[in-house]
Amino acid sequence: IRRALTLWSHAGAFVFISSTAVYREDSGKTVTESSALADSPRAQLLIEGEKWVLAEKGTVLRLAGLYHRTSGPHIYYSQLAESPLRGDGLINLIHYEDAASLTLKLFHTRYPEQVFLGSDNSPICRNELVQISQTFLKQNTPLCRFLGSEGPLGKKVNNDFTRKQLDWSPTYSSFQDFARTVASIH
């Protein structure tokens, strides 16, 4: 990140793609662009990178989990018989195309020293994700069984500020909406 920043002439925009994993919340409550940040080693690496970008008047875009028809958590879980995670654990998502359109918005207009969030604002639990995806993937295999009942529940990402500030909304309002679209095509 530092090397990339040294190569930037400050003409145009510098957008650093980060992750919603930087947020501290993991008990099922809502996070926004300005919510408290985590202190885990993984989160701290991203946060440090974000600080460098913001100090140089760049922009940070924190993305929820990326997916499309052939990639994402729905594909990962479709290949597992079981997982130690909670089935009621929340996953926040954004389709690859929506993440790309949001990123392009940030490149077309500079937003120095600002943090934005990319999400569909429709968190889904793991159990529901695998049930929905089995339908459009047309699989007859058993669903992944989530064995966990303890541990983090996750967070609900809300990016209303980003949507308003950038006059942006996702093409797919939820994973369910995406699944309906895929099902109607096939």
Side-chain angles (χ1 to χ4, degrees):
I1 297 166
R2 282 184 175 166
R3 176 140 165 69
L5 285 166
T6 65
L7 299 173
W8 180 39
S9 69
H10 287 82
F14 187 103
V15 179
F16 174 62
I17 305 297
S18 188
S19 168
T20 58
V22 301
Y23 293 110
R24 179 180 301 148
E25 174 55 45
D26 69 359
S27 64
K29 295 183 180 138
T30 300
V31 297
T32 66
E33 292 80 358
S34 60
S35 292
L37 302 177
D39 55 8
S40 69
R42 176 182 177 217
Q44 285 302 305
L45 285 173
L46 287 170
I47 293 165
E48 188 68 22
E50 289 180 2
K51 287 179 183 175
W52 296 332
V53 170
L54 296 171
E56 290 295 322
K57 304 204 182 322
T59 304
V60 171
L61 175 59
R62 296 175 180 152
L63 292 178
L66 292 164
Y67 75 94
H68 61 78
R69 191 176 195 299
T70 60
S71 178
H74 61 295
I75 299 298
Y76 173 74
Y77 292 128
S78 74
Q79 298 167 355
L80 297 179
E82 57 187 38
S83 166
L85 299 174
R86 295 174 66 149
D88 63 345
L90 298 171
I91 298 178
N92 294 275
L93 298 167
I94 185 169
H95 192 277
Y96 274 95
E97 292 172 12
D98 291 327
S101 74
L102 182 54
T103 304
L104 286 173
K105 280 266 191 186
L106 295 174
F107 276 121
H108 287 142
T109 304
R110 266 186 91 181
Y111 295 94
E113 301 177 78
Q114 288 197 41
V115 174
F116 295 100
L117 266 177
S119 174
D120 63 15
N121 273 4
S122 298
I124 186 170
C125 72
R126 290 183 187 93
N127 283 329
E128 189 177 3
L129 178 82
V130 297
Q131 289 169 349
I132 291 170
S133 63
Q134 188 175 46
T135 303
F136 77 80
L137 292 173
K138 296 182 178 15
Q139 292 180 325
N140 292 325
T141 58
L143 295 176
C144 177
R145 287 186 25 232
F146 295 98
L147 307 174
S149 59
E150 302 292 321
L153 184 58
K155 59 185 106 334
K156 296 176 183 174
V157 173
N158 179 302
N159 67 346
D160 287 346
F161 170 81
T162 293
R163 290 171 186 229
K164 184 177 180 186
Q165 186 80 9
L166 302 178
D167 189 27
W168 174 88
S169 62
T171 300
Y172 300 106
S173 62
S174 65
F175 185 76
Q176 297 89 326
D177 178 40
F178 165 75
R180 279 189 297 274
T181 303
V182 170
S184 70
I185 294 172
H186 292 52

